Amino acid sequence: MTKPLQVMKFGGTSVGDATCIARSAQIVASAAKGMNVVVVVSAMSGVTNRLIDAAKRSGEGGTEAGKTLIEALRKQHHAALTELVPEIDSRAAIEHKLEEVLAEGKRLYDGTAMLRELTPRTLDVISSLGERLCAPMFAGALSQLGAKSVSIEATQVIVTDSYHGGAEPRAEGTRKKAAETLLPMLNAGETPVVTGFIGATPDGKLTTLGRGGSDYSATILGAALDAHEIIIWTDVEGVLTADPRLVPEARTIPEISYREAAELAYFGAKVLHPKTLRPVLPAGIPVWIRNSFAPEKLGTKITQKGKSIGGGVKALTAIRDVALISLGGPGIVGVPDVIGRTFTTTAELRAEVLLISQSSSQNDICFLVSKPHAHATVDALRKEFAQDLAHEVVDHITVDPNVAIIAVVGENMRGTPGVAGKTFNALGQEKVNLIAIAQGSSETNISFVVDEKSMQAALKVLHSEFKLGQSNGN
Ligand code: ADP
Ligand code: ASP
Ligand code: MG
């Protein structure tokens, strides 16, 4: 390859209907004149949620949900395709592909309803249908604009482990497959359009990378192909100082470091899947977040170093889909293995622990996991500590699902005294009650737990306290 390579990912809203797909395809067609482009697409917005809802109904034995959805998806995708590719002849091959995917979906829903069982592996295949319907349409739209293009399913490119619902990529296998499948296409002057969100095990079983995983697909492929840069096209102008739905004054951050962006993603900034930046760290490939609805805007550049600012705090984020689990009792003081047993239990469930707080005497440990993991975690802890509960060494294992984590993020907070003071003072003035607090030694974030109801007020007061709505050069 002589020309530089860009990987461009388009999220659900950027491919939400024919107009959006045409606008996104135009962005690719312009870029493809000067460089090699690999496109990664999500499902049309809302489709993955609908696929999963219908899968759950089928798992309970419902026969209608799957049927109705497949019909609705057929209508939706055919309408978009007809608008994007008006000539019947040019459309035929794409229509054939869509019909194959829809027929597979129908068989999966029927089989699930008949067995009344939805396995994680089946759920992955059902969840993949949206991307697999979208990629051929996007390639068709590109061809209409004169850019030679082919769609390809990421099961042929991204190699993962077999953890259904949140598979991990295997870098070496993926690099080899990407070279075998995508490079010949690029060398032939074609723009590959790859399905985001999915991959396959070495023996070919389809997996998904977790919800919102198409961002991760883009960086996995960018790293595997030694891309020059990766552009994640979405519906906002980059990484903002806070979620604009919660803090309307939030502003685009022109440049941010991998570490800061990763902290934001980890603590719930939906604009990036939490694992997005992992693959690009070793090679330092820049990642841009840009708005496909306003491509003239530059968006945010995510780089190794970012750009430092005086004030320290760069952005705020919050996660509300979490639950606080606490375990304790006066009897556990001096029992040395409580912490070890607690987190071995969460690790066995693959329940990611988002924040931990412990008072010095060890008589109460609290930690946060995502809500879907909460019940299983508490059940497993009750089993693990059954003896201790019986002997009242441990007197409670409780769960509170009505909480949110807020994180204050910025690399320059390290060495900027007073950030914590300012944070807690502002929250105090706003009468926001703090349930738990944590700050890691990296000092790139301070995170704390509040009642879910106070979350938005807390974000707003901190956004104004740290003057994040004003242009201060960050
Ligand atoms: P896509 O479908 O393109 O992947 P997502 O909906 O997954 O887009 O992510 C984009 C959304 O993330 C934005 O519309 C915005 O509401 C939300 N968001 C949350 N926090 C932030 C933030 N700090 N910066 C930008 N967007 C954010
Ligand atoms: N379509 C998938 C989802 O909704 C992946 C993505 O959009 O990134 O989770
Ligand atoms: Mg997303």
Side-chain angles (χ1 to χ4, degrees), residues 131-196:
E131 272 71 11
R132 293 164 60 205
L133 289 169
C134 187
M137 282 200 311
F138 198 104
L142 270 176
S143 302
Q144 287 290 302
L145 297 172
K148 269 206 301 175
S149 177
V150 266
S151 66
I152 174 163
E153 299 198 350
T155 41
Q156 315 225 26
V157 192
I158 295 181
V159 183
T160 71
D161 67 11
S162 60
Y163 191 79
H164 289 287
E168 278 300 331
R170 300 247 173 97
E172 272 321 302
T174 303
R175 179 173 272 274
K176 189 161 166 277
K177 287 236 172 179
E180 281 165 12
T181 55
L182 302 178
L183 290 185
M185 293 175 180
L186 292 168
N187 288 332
E190 293 169 339
T191 300
V193 179
V194 189
T195 54

Side-chain angles (χ1 to χ4, degrees), residues 59 112 115-126 164:
T112 303
L115 295 171
R116 288 178 174 260
E117 188 189 17
L118 178 63
T119 63
R121 186 173 157 200
T122 305
L123 181 60
D124 266 0
V125 186
I126 291 178
H164 289 287

Side-chain angles (χ1 to χ4, degrees), residues 164-437:
H164 289 287
E168 278 300 331
R170 300 247 173 97
E172 272 321 302
T174 303
R175 179 173 272 274
K176 189 161 166 277
K177 287 236 172 179
E180 281 165 12
T181 55
L182 302 178
L183 290 185
M185 293 175 180
L186 292 168
N187 288 332
E190 293 169 339
T191 300
V193 179
V194 189
T195 54
F197 184 45
I198 65 178
T201 59
D203 59 346
K205 293 193 185 93
L206 187 147
T207 52
T208 62
L209 303 169
R211 294 304 310 273
S214 297
D215 301 329
Y216 197 21
S217 307
T219 51
I220 292 168
L221 289 178
L225 294 165
D226 298 318
H228 175 66
E229 54 187 12
I230 296 158
I231 307 182
I232 294 181
W233 292 95
T234 181
D235 59 358
V236 281
E237 278 152 37
V239 177
L240 309 193
T241 48
D243 184 341
R245 290 167 298 187
L246 298 170
V247 184
E249 313 83 67
R251 200 172 52 76
T252 301
I253 304 170
E255 194 170 332
I256 187 168
S257 70
Y258 288 145
R259 190 169 190 149
E260 290 167 329
E263 295 273 10
L264 288 172
Y266 182 75
F267 284 107
K270 195 185 170 222
V271 66
L272 279 180
H273 182 275
K275 295 177 189 162
T276 308
L277 297 166
R278 283 189 199 169
V280 297
L281 287 177
I285 304 169
V287 179
W288 290 85
I289 312 294
R290 298 184 62 182
N291 189 347
S292 73
F293 296 82
E296 70 288 356
K297 302 265 171 62
L298 268 182
T300 299
K301 187 177 190 185
I302 311 176
T303 58
Q304 196 91 53
K305 285 223 159 98
K307 208 179 203 170
S308 63
I309 47 154
V313 175
K314 264 210 173 147
L316 309 173
T317 181
I319 327 184
R320 76 182 106 187
D321 197 22
V322 290
L324 175 85
I325 295 178
S326 40
L327 176 146
I332 69 171
V333 181
V335 179
D337 62 349
V338 172
I339 294 179
R341 285 161 64 198
T342 303
F343 295 115
T344 304
T345 306
T346 57
E348 274 163 7
L349 295 171
R350 272 218 187 191
E352 192 162 13
V353 176
L354 297 157
L355 181 148
I356 304 170
S357 174
Q358 186 215 334
S359 61
S360 58
S361 66
Q362 242 199 54
N363 66 15
D364 193 87
I365 302 165
C366 69
F367 61 92
L368 285 102
V369 295
S370 70
K371 245 182 226 173
H373 279 118
H375 273 294
T377 307
V378 170
D379 287 349
L381 286 172
R382 292 211 168 114
K383 261 196 208 124
E384 170 63 35
F385 288 98
Q387 292 285 335
D388 309 79
L389 285 162
H391 297 115
E392 294 176 12
V393 175
V394 171
D395 71 1
H396 68 264
I397 298 177
T398 55
V399 56
D400 180 353
N402 302 313
V403 295
I405 304 179
I406 295 182
V408 176
V409 173
E411 286 226 54
N412 277 19
M413 281 163 48
R414 202 178 359 224
T416 308
V419 174
K422 260 184 156 181
T423 302
F424 299 131
N425 195 17
L427 293 172
Q429 306 251 321
E430 193 66 24
K431 305 214 168 4
V432 173
N433 183 35
L434 290 170
I435 301 170
I437 303 172

